[in-house]
Amino acid sequence: MATQLNPPASISMGDFGIVESMSKCLAPKLEELRGKKIIFSAEDKALVPVDGWGFKAGQSYCAPTITTIRPVRENTMVAAIDSSSIKIADTEEGALYAIKCGVAMAYGGAALMHFKLGPMLFYLSESTVYDSELDDRLARLVLSDSDVARRLVRVRAERAIQFELSSHFRNSIILVDGSLRTSIFEDRSRNMSKIAENCVLYKNLLAGISKNTKLKILERAAAPLAKVPGPAYIDVDIIIKSLIKGSVGSNMMARLDRNSPVLRVDVVGDRDLALGKLLGNDPVASGYPETLRLAHHISTFTGTEVTCLRSHVLNSYDVTELASDDIRRTLLGSIMV
């Protein structure tokens, strides 16, 4: 007679010591949370306190020097560059990516013109990646990780535009979305260092503006700016250079408008002149240059563009579209929340 295996009436995780083991995998330290100032996270959004973090009671610190930014009313061309990249398709040997760039210009305090570059398609396979001067290990990573591949395409495209603008403009300001630093994805002939050299040679000012920072120490260092009513900056060069490899130019935390967010700003050249000319030639709304805002919107892919790119690939390259499935949705199902 076969023995029947009856399932246990109840199972408790406590019987296996799992809960206790989880509680000890890290020291919770929840008591240290008591009395803290807090911001609840919202998905992947970068949230900052409106009035800054302030300082801890009894905290000793060296008061940083706050430098006021005074607009320089000297007509100067401002050119801002931004881009976005997406994956369009996969093949058995590689993947197809698209890049779209935006360049926006201002002069004398008013928007002047803007350009949309792309979308352009790049097929990354083993042969194309190994021809791109990448280290072998990095090349393999690009082929296996689509996020890294999109970063490669974006960095190469942005550097190409920045290099050409820095070579052809004179006495202008070139604005970059993000910090000024070298990248492992750069082309050796068009890297950030050469762009900075061009700017010095042709008397251009190069500035990189970051909308947020992951370094909490910079937020604390910039806390005094929360009480400054107008445009101003604090030097954080020592902090950045001690923490980040490959940083280019001088580094600041700056407020570009009254009661606006504090941004990280990197500058190659005279920083007072760069920020002064920026405020004197580029409209600043809510503390962010209008040229960078426009370049961002120009470079964002629309659903129509993605559909057109797919149609172009199907009609132009004799490809065969295979039926596909969302594995994650198949395995986990779809639950409406």
Side-chain angles (χ1 to χ4, degrees):
M1 182 176 179
T3 302
Q4 184 176 358
L5 297 178
N6 296 318
S10 64
I11 295 178
S12 172
M13 292 294 102
D15 295 339
F16 307 124
I18 292 177
V19 176
E20 182 181 1
S21 179
M22 283 182 59
S23 67
K24 293 180 178 179
C25 67
L26 285 173
K29 300 287 186 180
L30 294 179
E31 281 301 314
E32 293 187 9
L33 183 64
R34 196 173 304 279
K36 299 288 186 182
K37 298 174 183 178
I38 193 170
I39 295 177
F40 287 106
S41 303
E43 298 179 353
D44 295 328
K45 295 179 182 178
L47 303 179
V48 296
V50 175
D51 297 320
W53 289 106
F55 294 98
K56 298 178 183 177
Q59 181 183 27
S60 60
Y61 66 95
C62 295
T65 301
I66 299 176
T67 304
T68 301
I69 304 172
R70 293 181 173 83
V72 177
R73 307 295 179 184
E74 179 182 327
N75 287 343
T76 303
M77 178 73 76
V78 179
I81 305 102
D82 200 359
S83 71
S84 62
S85 58
I86 59 173
K87 184 165 76 169
I88 296 293
D90 282 301
T91 69
E92 189 175 2
E93 293 87 13
L96 181 66
Y97 298 88
I99 181 76
K100 184 181 177 186
C101 302
V103 178
M105 299 181 184
Y107 183 82
L112 183 64
M113 62 185 75
H114 62 268
F115 304 92
K116 181 182 76 171
L117 306 174
M120 297 180 184
L121 293 172
F122 293 91
Y123 178 54
L124 299 187
S125 63
E126 187 169 323
S127 60
T128 57
V129 169
Y130 282 103
D131 288 341
S132 62
E133 300 181 351
L134 291 177
D135 173 82
D136 285 350
R137 292 175 61 186
L138 184 57
R140 289 194 294 270
L141 181 60
V142 168
L143 291 174
S144 61
D145 190 323
S146 61
D147 288 336
V148 175
R150 288 194 302 109
R151 180 65 179 161
L152 167 68
V153 173
R154 186 177 179 186
V155 168
R156 288 290 178 97
E158 286 190 358
R159 292 293 188 270
I161 298 171
Q162 293 159 6
F163 183 83
E164 296 303 328
L165 291 180
S166 67
S167 302
H168 291 87
F169 278 22
R170 303 290 185 273
N171 300 303
S172 301
I173 298 175
I174 298 174
L175 273 185
V176 175
D177 176 49
S179 59
L180 299 182
R181 58 179 299 189
T182 57
S183 170
I184 57 176
F185 301 115
E186 292 176 330
D187 184 341
R188 295 171 188 170
S189 62
R190 296 175 177 179
N191 57 33
M192 181 57 71
S193 297
K194 291 188 180 297
I195 294 167
E197 289 175 9
N198 281 346
C199 287
V200 174
L201 180 63
Y202 298 115
K203 299 181 179 180
N204 294 312
L205 296 165
L206 178 64
I209 299 182
S210 304
K211 292 181 284 294
N212 56 73
T213 177
K214 295 180 179 179
L215 301 176
K216 282 190 174 293
I217 189 172
L218 293 182
E219 296 179 357
R220 293 196 294 270
L225 287 175
K227 298 180 180 180
V228 179
Y233 72 83
I234 289 175
D235 188 324
V236 293
D237 205 56
I238 295 177
I239 298 175
I240 295 294
K241 295 296 192 292
S242 65
L243 295 176
I244 299 177
K245 184 180 179 180
S247 178
V248 176
S250 55
N251 315 109
M252 298 157 281
M253 295 299 288
R255 165 171 276 176
L256 300 181
D257 200 4
R258 298 177 65 89
N259 303 317
S260 63
V262 177
L263 309 172
R264 176 182 163 184
V265 181
D266 302 337
V267 171
V268 171
D270 187 319
R271 56 191 181 186
D272 292 304
L273 183 62
L275 295 177
K277 282 190 171 184
L278 177 63
L279 294 186
N281 289 274
D282 193 351
V284 175
S286 302
Y288 196 66
E290 191 62 31
T291 51
L292 272 178
R293 180 181 286 106
L294 182 56
H296 168 78
H297 290 301
I298 295 170
S299 65
T300 302
F301 279 91
T302 65
T304 301
E305 286 174 325
V306 174
T307 300
C308 290
L309 285 172
R310 291 174 175 174
S311 178
H312 170 71
V313 171
L314 286 171
N315 294 328
S316 303
Y317 298 100
D318 192 30
V319 297
T320 301
E321 184 178 10
L322 302 179
S324 59
D325 192 16
D326 184 343
I327 297 177
R328 184 180 180 88
R329 183 166 181 169
T330 300
L331 296 177
L332 301 179
S334 177
I335 301 176
M336 299 299 294
V337 180

